Amino acid sequence: MFLISLLDNTSETLLFGLFGIIIILFLVVDLGLLNKKAHKISTKSALYQSIFWVAISVGFGYLIYAYGDGADASLTFFTAYLTEYALSVDNIFVILLILKYFAVKDIYYHNILFWGILGALIFRAIFIFLGAFLISKFYWILYIFGVFLVYSGIKIFFEDGEEEIDPSKNPLLKMARKYLSITKGDYGGRFVLRRNGKLLFTPLFLVIILIETTDLIFAVDSIPAAFAITQNEFLIYTSNIFAILGLRAKFFLLAGIIEKFYLLQKGLSFILIFIGAKMLLEIVHIEIDITLSFMIIIFTLAASIIMSLIVPQKSKEEETSETTLEK
Protein backbone atom coordinates (compact mmCIF):
# COMPACT_ATOMS: atom_id res chain seq x y z
CA MET A 1 0.00 0.00 0.00
CA PHE A 2 2.80 2.40 0.93
CA LEU A 3 4.68 1.76 -2.32
CA ILE A 4 1.52 2.31 -4.39
CA SER A 5 0.72 5.60 -2.66
CA LEU A 6 4.37 6.63 -2.96
CA LEU A 7 4.40 6.01 -6.71
CA ASP A 8 1.25 8.12 -7.01
CA ASN A 9 3.08 11.05 -5.42
CA THR A 10 6.04 12.06 -7.60
CA SER A 11 7.53 14.50 -5.08
CA GLU A 12 7.46 11.92 -2.27
CA THR A 13 9.00 9.35 -4.61
CA LEU A 14 11.93 11.66 -5.37
CA LEU A 15 12.36 12.63 -1.73
CA PHE A 16 12.25 8.99 -0.65
CA GLY A 17 14.92 8.22 -3.25
CA LEU A 18 17.06 11.05 -1.83
CA PHE A 19 16.45 9.67 1.65
CA GLY A 20 17.67 6.25 0.51
CA ILE A 21 20.83 7.77 -0.99
CA ILE A 22 21.57 9.59 2.29
CA ILE A 23 21.21 6.36 4.26
CA ILE A 24 23.44 4.36 1.90
CA LEU A 25 26.11 7.09 1.88
CA PHE A 26 26.01 7.15 5.68
CA LEU A 27 26.57 3.41 5.91
CA VAL A 28 29.40 3.38 3.36
CA VAL A 29 31.24 6.48 4.57
CA ASP A 30 30.77 5.84 8.28
CA LEU A 31 31.91 2.23 8.50
CA GLY A 32 33.81 1.81 5.25
CA LEU A 33 35.91 4.98 5.24
CA LEU A 34 35.89 6.92 8.52
CA ASN A 35 35.81 4.17 11.09
CA LYS A 36 37.68 1.15 9.78
CA LYS A 37 39.60 0.82 13.05
CA ALA A 38 38.03 0.63 16.51
CA HIS A 39 38.55 3.87 18.41
CA LYS A 40 36.99 5.96 21.14
CA ILE A 41 34.63 8.71 19.99
CA SER A 42 35.49 12.03 21.63
CA THR A 43 32.87 14.43 22.98
CA LYS A 44 33.98 16.99 20.39
CA SER A 45 33.48 14.52 17.54
CA ALA A 46 30.09 13.48 18.97
CA LEU A 47 29.03 17.14 19.09
CA TYR A 48 29.96 17.65 15.44
CA GLN A 49 28.13 14.47 14.43
CA SER A 50 25.03 15.49 16.41
CA ILE A 51 24.99 18.90 14.74
CA PHE A 52 25.49 17.22 11.36
CA TRP A 53 22.51 14.87 11.75
CA VAL A 54 20.24 17.58 13.11
CA ALA A 55 21.24 19.80 10.16
CA ILE A 56 20.60 16.97 7.68
CA SER A 57 17.19 16.33 9.26
CA VAL A 58 16.27 20.02 9.18
CA GLY A 59 17.41 20.19 5.55
CA PHE A 60 15.23 17.21 4.65
CA GLY A 61 12.29 18.83 6.42
CA TYR A 62 12.84 21.94 4.31
CA LEU A 63 12.86 19.84 1.13
CA ILE A 64 9.49 18.41 2.17
CA TYR A 65 8.25 21.99 2.54
CA ALA A 66 9.73 23.23 -0.75
CA TYR A 67 9.24 20.22 -3.01
CA GLY A 68 6.81 18.00 -1.11
CA ASP A 69 3.39 18.70 0.32
CA GLY A 70 4.10 22.11 1.80
CA ALA A 71 4.23 23.61 5.28
CA ASP A 72 1.81 21.21 7.01
CA ALA A 73 3.72 18.12 5.82
CA SER A 74 7.05 19.69 6.81
CA LEU A 75 5.78 20.63 10.28
CA THR A 76 4.33 17.14 10.69
CA PHE A 77 7.75 15.68 9.80
CA PHE A 78 9.45 17.87 12.42
CA THR A 79 6.85 17.01 15.06
CA ALA A 80 7.31 13.26 14.50
CA TYR A 81 11.11 13.70 14.32
CA LEU A 82 11.26 15.71 17.54
CA THR A 83 9.02 13.22 19.34
CA GLU A 84 11.18 10.25 18.32
CA TYR A 85 14.38 12.18 19.03
CA ALA A 86 13.15 12.92 22.54
CA LEU A 87 11.84 9.43 23.25
CA SER A 88 15.15 7.92 22.12
CA VAL A 89 16.81 9.48 25.18
CA ASP A 90 15.52 6.50 27.19
CA ASN A 91 17.43 4.23 24.79
CA ILE A 92 20.66 5.88 25.88
CA PHE A 93 20.09 4.95 29.52
CA VAL A 94 19.51 1.30 28.68
CA ILE A 95 22.27 1.01 26.05
CA LEU A 96 24.75 2.45 28.54
CA LEU A 97 23.62 -0.08 31.14
CA ILE A 98 24.05 -2.96 28.67
CA LEU A 99 27.55 -1.84 27.69
CA LYS A 100 28.56 -1.54 31.35
CA TYR A 101 27.01 -4.91 32.19
CA PHE A 102 29.23 -6.62 29.60
CA ALA A 103 32.22 -4.39 30.50
CA VAL A 104 32.60 -3.43 26.82
CA LYS A 105 35.68 -1.35 26.00
CA ASP A 106 34.73 2.14 24.85
CA ILE A 107 36.74 1.73 21.63
CA TYR A 108 34.07 -0.78 20.50
CA TYR A 109 31.05 1.41 21.31
CA HIS A 110 30.97 2.97 17.85
CA ASN A 111 30.95 -0.33 15.95
CA ILE A 112 28.32 -1.86 18.20
CA LEU A 113 25.98 1.12 17.90
CA PHE A 114 26.50 1.21 14.13
CA TRP A 115 25.19 -2.34 13.71
CA GLY A 116 22.49 -1.68 16.27
CA ILE A 117 21.23 1.27 14.23
CA LEU A 118 21.42 -0.77 11.01
CA GLY A 119 19.11 -3.34 12.60
CA ALA A 120 16.79 -0.55 13.73
CA LEU A 121 16.48 0.68 10.12
CA ILE A 122 15.18 -2.73 9.08
CA PHE A 123 12.95 -3.60 12.03
CA ARG A 124 11.35 -0.18 12.25
CA ALA A 125 10.54 -0.29 8.55
CA ILE A 126 8.73 -3.58 9.16
CA PHE A 127 6.88 -2.16 12.19
CA ILE A 128 5.83 1.03 10.43
CA PHE A 129 4.64 -0.47 7.17
CA LEU A 130 2.88 -3.33 8.95
CA GLY A 131 1.20 -0.79 11.21
CA ALA A 132 0.17 1.30 8.20
CA PHE A 133 -1.33 -1.76 6.52
CA LEU A 134 -3.33 -2.72 9.62
CA ILE A 135 -4.57 0.85 10.12
CA SER A 136 -5.71 1.00 6.48
CA LYS A 137 -7.85 -2.07 7.20
CA PHE A 138 -8.85 -1.33 10.80
CA TYR A 139 -8.70 2.41 11.52
CA TRP A 140 -9.89 1.90 15.11
CA ILE A 141 -6.42 0.49 15.93
CA LEU A 142 -5.32 4.12 16.19
CA TYR A 143 -7.58 4.57 19.20
CA ILE A 144 -5.95 1.54 20.83
CA PHE A 145 -2.62 3.27 20.19
CA GLY A 146 -4.03 6.37 21.89
CA VAL A 147 -5.09 4.47 25.01
CA PHE A 148 -1.74 2.68 25.11
CA LEU A 149 0.20 5.97 24.86
CA VAL A 150 -1.79 7.56 27.68
CA TYR A 151 -1.23 4.46 29.82
CA SER A 152 2.51 4.41 29.01
CA GLY A 153 2.84 8.11 29.80
CA ILE A 154 1.14 7.74 33.19
CA LYS A 155 3.25 4.67 33.99
CA ILE A 156 6.51 6.43 33.08
CA PHE A 157 5.52 9.52 35.09
CA PHE A 158 5.20 7.53 38.31
CA GLU A 159 8.31 5.41 37.75
CA ASP A 160 11.27 6.15 39.97
CA GLY A 161 13.62 6.49 37.03
CA GLU A 162 16.20 4.40 38.90
CA GLU A 163 14.72 0.99 38.33
CA GLU A 164 17.22 -1.81 38.14
CA ILE A 165 17.27 -3.39 34.70
CA ASP A 166 18.93 -6.79 34.62
CA PRO A 167 20.10 -7.67 31.08
CA SER A 168 20.67 -11.28 32.13
CA LYS A 169 16.89 -11.78 32.38
CA ASN A 170 16.38 -11.05 28.68
CA PRO A 171 14.82 -14.23 27.17
CA LEU A 172 16.72 -13.89 23.87
CA LEU A 173 19.97 -13.59 25.78
CA LYS A 174 19.18 -16.74 27.75
CA MET A 175 18.36 -18.59 24.54
CA ALA A 176 21.57 -17.40 22.84
CA ARG A 177 23.68 -18.54 25.77
CA LYS A 178 21.94 -21.90 25.77
CA TYR A 179 22.20 -22.72 22.07
CA LEU A 180 25.23 -20.73 20.82
CA SER A 181 28.91 -21.23 21.55
CA ILE A 182 29.96 -18.03 23.32
CA THR A 183 33.61 -17.08 23.77
CA LYS A 184 35.00 -15.23 26.80
CA GLY A 185 37.10 -12.70 24.88
CA ASP A 186 36.07 -9.93 22.48
CA TYR A 187 38.71 -10.89 19.86
CA GLY A 188 39.44 -7.36 18.76
CA GLY A 189 35.81 -6.27 18.53
CA ARG A 190 34.62 -9.16 16.38
CA PHE A 191 31.09 -10.54 16.74
CA VAL A 192 31.60 -13.93 15.12
CA LEU A 193 34.65 -16.08 14.39
CA ARG A 194 35.44 -19.60 13.25
CA ARG A 195 37.87 -21.85 15.10
CA ASN A 196 38.65 -25.45 14.09
CA GLY A 197 35.67 -25.36 11.77
CA LYS A 198 33.33 -24.34 14.62
CA LEU A 199 31.33 -21.10 14.57
CA LEU A 200 31.85 -19.07 17.75
CA PHE A 201 30.11 -15.92 18.97
CA THR A 202 31.76 -13.29 21.15
CA PRO A 203 30.07 -11.43 24.06
CA LEU A 204 29.78 -8.42 21.72
CA PHE A 205 27.30 -10.46 19.66
CA LEU A 206 25.16 -10.77 22.79
CA VAL A 207 25.39 -7.00 23.25
CA ILE A 208 24.02 -6.50 19.73
CA ILE A 209 21.11 -8.86 20.51
CA LEU A 210 20.24 -6.89 23.64
CA ILE A 211 20.47 -3.51 21.93
CA GLU A 212 18.24 -4.67 19.07
CA THR A 213 15.60 -6.07 21.43
CA THR A 214 15.79 -2.89 23.50
CA ASP A 215 15.12 -0.79 20.40
CA LEU A 216 12.11 -2.96 19.55
CA ILE A 217 10.74 -2.44 23.06
CA PHE A 218 11.10 1.33 22.79
CA ALA A 219 9.60 1.24 19.30
CA VAL A 220 6.38 -0.01 20.92
CA ASP A 221 6.00 3.51 22.36
CA SER A 222 7.56 5.68 19.67
CA ILE A 223 5.93 4.20 16.56
CA PRO A 224 2.33 4.43 17.90
CA ALA A 225 3.21 8.01 18.90
CA ALA A 226 4.24 8.73 15.31
CA PHE A 227 1.00 7.22 13.99
CA ALA A 228 -0.92 9.42 16.43
CA ILE A 229 0.76 12.44 14.80
CA THR A 230 0.27 11.35 11.17
CA GLN A 231 -0.71 8.29 9.15
CA ASN A 232 1.63 9.23 6.29
CA GLU A 233 4.10 6.32 6.15
CA PHE A 234 6.68 8.40 4.29
CA LEU A 235 6.75 11.08 7.01
CA ILE A 236 6.71 8.51 9.81
CA TYR A 237 9.56 6.40 8.48
CA THR A 238 11.86 9.23 7.37
CA SER A 239 11.41 11.21 10.61
CA ASN A 240 11.85 8.05 12.68
CA ILE A 241 15.03 6.98 10.91
CA PHE A 242 16.63 10.43 10.92
CA ALA A 243 16.09 10.53 14.70
CA ILE A 244 17.60 7.04 15.06
CA LEU A 245 20.61 7.98 12.91
CA GLY A 246 21.32 10.81 15.33
CA LEU A 247 20.99 8.52 18.34
CA ARG A 248 24.56 7.22 18.25
CA ALA A 249 26.15 10.67 18.22
CA LYS A 250 23.72 11.74 20.95
CA PHE A 251 24.80 8.70 22.99
CA PHE A 252 28.46 9.73 22.95
CA LEU A 253 27.51 13.33 23.66
CA LEU A 254 25.17 12.66 26.59
CA ALA A 255 26.38 9.36 28.08
CA GLY A 256 28.36 11.10 30.82
CA ILE A 257 25.85 13.83 31.72
CA ILE A 258 22.43 12.39 30.90
CA GLU A 259 21.60 11.75 34.56
CA LYS A 260 21.58 15.51 35.15
CA PHE A 261 18.41 15.83 33.03
CA TYR A 262 16.36 13.87 35.56
CA LEU A 263 13.11 15.72 34.79
CA LEU A 264 13.27 14.79 31.12
CA GLN A 265 11.51 11.51 31.92
CA LYS A 266 8.56 13.48 33.33
CA GLY A 267 8.52 15.61 30.18
CA LEU A 268 8.54 12.54 27.95
CA SER A 269 5.66 11.04 29.92
CA PHE A 270 3.62 14.23 29.40
CA ILE A 271 4.37 14.13 25.65
CA LEU A 272 3.10 10.53 25.43
CA ILE A 273 -0.05 11.42 27.35
CA PHE A 274 -0.63 14.49 25.17
CA ILE A 275 -0.16 12.61 21.89
CA GLY A 276 -2.38 9.75 23.07
CA ALA A 277 -5.09 12.18 24.19
CA LYS A 278 -4.79 14.02 20.86
CA MET A 279 -5.59 10.78 19.05
CA LEU A 280 -8.50 9.90 21.35
CA LEU A 281 -10.07 13.36 20.94
CA GLU A 282 -10.59 12.57 17.28
CA ILE A 283 -13.32 10.15 18.40
CA VAL A 284 -15.44 13.19 19.36
CA HIS A 285 -14.23 15.12 16.27
CA ILE A 286 -11.85 17.41 18.13
CA GLU A 287 -8.59 17.94 16.27
CA ILE A 288 -5.52 19.67 17.68
CA ASP A 289 -3.65 21.70 15.08
CA ILE A 290 -0.22 20.32 14.17
CA THR A 291 1.39 23.73 14.86
CA LEU A 292 0.01 23.72 18.41
CA SER A 293 1.17 20.12 18.88
CA PHE A 294 4.68 21.03 17.74
CA MET A 295 4.84 24.02 20.10
CA ILE A 296 3.61 21.97 23.07
CA ILE A 297 6.26 19.30 22.47
CA ILE A 298 9.03 21.92 22.07
CA PHE A 299 7.93 23.74 25.24
CA THR A 300 7.71 20.51 27.27
CA LEU A 301 11.21 19.35 26.28
CA ALA A 302 12.75 22.78 26.87
CA ALA A 303 11.04 23.15 30.24
CA SER A 304 12.14 19.67 31.35
CA ILE A 305 15.79 20.34 30.45
CA ILE A 306 15.88 23.87 31.93
CA MET A 307 14.19 22.84 35.18
CA SER A 308 16.59 19.89 35.53
CA LEU A 309 19.50 22.35 35.40
CA ILE A 310 17.90 25.02 37.61
CA VAL A 311 16.76 22.55 40.27
CA PRO A 312 19.50 19.91 40.61
CA GLN A 313 18.40 16.43 41.65
CA LYS A 314 18.91 15.56 45.29
CA SER A 315 21.36 12.78 45.99
CA LYS A 316 20.24 9.62 47.80
CA GLU A 317 22.26 10.74 50.84
CA GLU A 318 20.40 14.08 50.96
CA GLU A 319 17.01 12.35 50.64
CA THR A 320 17.92 9.88 53.40
CA SER A 321 19.08 12.75 55.63
CA GLU A 322 15.83 14.70 55.09
CA THR A 323 13.75 11.61 55.84
CA THR A 324 15.68 11.02 59.06
CA LEU A 325 15.18 14.64 60.18
CA GLU A 326 11.44 14.43 59.48
CA LYS A 327 11.20 11.36 61.70
Side-chain angles (χ1 to χ4, degrees), residues 56-71:
I56 290 293
S57 303
V58 170
F60 193 80
Y62 172 76
L63 291 177
I64 292 175
Y65 165 75
Y67 303 104
D69 293 328

Side-chain angles (χ1 to χ4, degrees), residues 21 44 87 163 207 296:
I21 292 172
K44 183 178 180 180
L87 291 175
E163 291 187 63
V207 174
I296 289 174

Side-chain angles (χ1 to χ4, degrees), residues 2-156:
F2 168 68
L3 292 177
I4 294 174
S5 62
L6 189 63
L7 291 173
D8 289 339
N9 190 325
T10 305
S11 60
E12 281 194 3
T13 303
L14 294 174
L15 287 172
F16 198 77
L18 177 61
F19 169 77
I21 292 172
I22 293 172
I23 300 302
I24 293 172
L25 283 176
F26 158 73
L27 297 176
V28 173
V29 173
D30 187 275
L31 193 63
L33 299 178
L34 299 180
N35 298 289
K36 287 184 177 181
K37 293 183 179 180
H39 64 284
K40 182 179 179 180
I41 302 297
S42 66
T43 302
K44 183 178 180 180
S45 176
L47 176 61
Y48 289 153
Q49 290 181 44
S50 295
I51 293 172
F52 169 79
W53 280 114
V54 170
I56 290 293
S57 303
V58 170
F60 193 80
Y62 172 76
L63 291 177
I64 292 175
Y65 165 75
Y67 303 104
D69 293 328
D72 284 347
S74 180
L75 192 58
T76 300
F77 168 83
F78 284 124
T79 303
Y81 168 77
L82 190 62
T83 300
E84 174 59 36
Y85 198 79
L87 291 175
S88 66
V89 169
D90 275 348
N91 291 41
I92 296 177
F93 281 106
V94 181
I95 290 172
L96 191 58
L97 185 147
I98 292 170
L99 294 172
K100 288 182 177 179
Y101 175 82
F102 283 91
V104 177
K105 297 176 183 177
D106 53 13
I107 61 172
Y108 300 137
Y109 283 8
H110 174 276
N111 198 34
I112 288 171
L113 292 177
F114 175 91
W115 291 105
I117 288 173
L118 182 60
L121 298 180
I122 298 170
F123 288 121
R124 292 202 175 214
I126 295 172
F127 268 39
I128 290 170
F129 299 135
L130 179 60
F133 173 77
L134 292 175
I135 290 170
S136 68
K137 300 294 182 182
F138 313 102
Y139 188 80
W140 48 265
I141 289 177
L142 283 174
Y143 303 130
I144 296 178
F145 284 174
V147 172
F148 176 75
L149 291 174
V150 171
Y151 167 77
S152 295
I154 294 173
K155 182 182 177 183
I156 291 173

